[in-house]
């Protein structure tokens, strides 16, 4: 069976990317190969996603797919953005980071936000192929729902009333920023 490394230590992302990929791939995690995470030194999603795919490719001789994603909130100058994971780390948990965001937004009229995902795919010895997907929405007034991961419980996609944390996992996986990016990638690499 053909192998692909899903270059992420984030269980939520791993699950989503594994779900999107063809069944003919054996999906390998860097955790199972004891591969560490690289330092995310870029200020852009695409920079970090390419950096990750190049890093993970050094450890295996089969294709690698990696993403860099995050939540950009208009009234917070598009933060936390590429620092989404680090904000949660700084606060000790995603719940605490979400409380922090909700407090900052208490008096903000503009609650618009966008989840962005830059997805990179790399064959051994080849250059990475990179695409970006987005989903627009708004920030809820409170934390709602226990499904999903990360900032899902405060993000309401446009045209819906529920947060991603209240969506079924399948429904969210079939519409989010990672899905949008994956669709673009699949147009470039048909075998995915
Ligand atoms: P990174 O790409 O490893 O820097 O981490 C991105 C961070 O953005 C994750 O740890 C989550 O906090 C957040 N994030 C990215 N995608 C999603 C999503 O689909 N739902 C909720 N949070 C997400």
């Amino acid at each position: 069976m053909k192998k692909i490394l899903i270059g992420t230590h984030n269980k939520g992302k791993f699950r989503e990317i594994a779900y999107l990929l063809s069944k003919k791939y054996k999906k390998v995690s860097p955790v199972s190969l004891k591969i560490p995470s690289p330092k995310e030194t870029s200020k852009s999603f695409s920079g970090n996603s390419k950096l990750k795919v190049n890093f993970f490719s050094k450890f295996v001789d089969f294709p690698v797919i990696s993403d860099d994603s995050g939540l950009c909130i208009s009234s917070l100058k598009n933060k936390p953005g590429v620092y989404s994971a680090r904000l949660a780390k700084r606060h000790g948990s995603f719940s605490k980071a979400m409380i922090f965001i909700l407090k900052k937004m208490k008096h903000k009229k503009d609650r618009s936000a966008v989840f962005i995902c830059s997805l990179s795919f790399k064959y051994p010895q080849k250059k990475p192929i990179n695409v970006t997907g987005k989903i627009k929405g708004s920030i809820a007034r409170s934390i709602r729902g226990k499904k999903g991961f990360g900032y899902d419980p405060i993000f309401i996609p446009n045209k819906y009333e529920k947060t991603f944390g209240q969506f079924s996992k399948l429904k969210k996986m079939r519409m989010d920023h990672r899905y949008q990016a994956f669709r673009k990638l699949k147009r470039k690499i048909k075998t995915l």
Side-chain angles (χ1 to χ4, degrees):
M1 198 174 189
K2 287 196 286 184
K3 286 185 190 170
I4 187 164
L5 185 89
I6 303 180
T8 180
H9 285 75
N10 180 315
K11 282 185 194 154
K13 283 188 188 182
F14 186 92
R15 189 177 50 229
E16 288 200 6
I17 297 171
Y19 166 78
L20 296 169
L21 285 164
S22 155
K23 286 198 179 71
K24 62 179 187 248
Y25 280 109
K26 180 175 164 50
K27 287 100 184 166
V28 182
S29 156
V31 180
S32 67
L33 300 179
K34 297 199 169 66
I35 305 174
S37 290
K39 269 224 156 70
E40 295 177 25
T41 50
S42 174
K43 288 193 171 121
S44 70
F45 290 111
S46 60
N48 280 329
S49 143
K50 283 182 218 161
L51 172 158
K52 285 184 205 177
V53 89
N54 283 327
F55 173 84
F56 287 115
S57 288
K58 289 189 188 138
F59 295 88
V60 292
D61 57 0
F62 45 85
V64 177
I65 187 166
S66 278
D67 92 333
D68 195 59
S69 46
L71 179 63
C72 302
I73 303 174
S74 309
S75 62
L76 302 182
K77 297 183 182 148
N78 290 326
K79 285 194 177 142
V82 290
Y83 304 104
S84 296
R86 279 165 273 184
L87 182 74
K89 212 169 175 191
R90 178 151 65 82
H91 286 270
S93 69
F94 278 102
S95 304
K96 287 183 182 151
M98 287 190 284
I99 291 168
F100 170 78
I101 289 175
L102 292 179
K103 267 194 193 149
K104 282 219 148 211
M105 298 212 38
K106 205 168 174 190
H107 302 294
K108 304 275 189 206
K109 279 213 176 89
D110 178 6
R111 304 191 72 81
S112 62
V114 58
F115 259 129
I116 299 183
C117 169
S118 174
L119 200 57
S120 293
F121 174 86
K122 189 180 174 314
Y123 284 116
Q125 329 298 342
K126 295 269 165 69
K127 279 190 176 165
I129 296 162
N130 189 260
V131 292
T132 300
K134 291 178 185 179
I135 182 157
K136 291 182 181 172
S138 60
I139 300 299
R141 296 250 162 218
S142 60
I143 295 174
R144 283 195 268 133
K146 290 202 162 68
K147 295 174 196 146
F149 67 96
Y151 297 100
D152 282 341
I154 56 167
F155 183 82
I156 305 170
N158 281 351
K159 299 191 191 129
Y160 291 87
E161 311 231 308
K162 290 194 281 191
T163 69
F164 265 167
Q166 295 170 307
F167 274 62
S168 77
K169 274 183 191 161
L170 267 186
K171 184 155 188 188
K172 188 231 163 185
M173 284 197 287
R174 286 188 189 137
M175 65 187 279
D176 70 6
H177 46 313
R178 218 161 280 103
Y179 178 79
Q180 305 301 337
F182 190 79
R183 274 190 2 173
K184 289 191 190 171
L185 191 63
K186 209 165 150 81
R187 265 181 245 144
K188 298 187 183 221
I189 308 153
K190 304 273 186 301
T191 54
L192 287 178

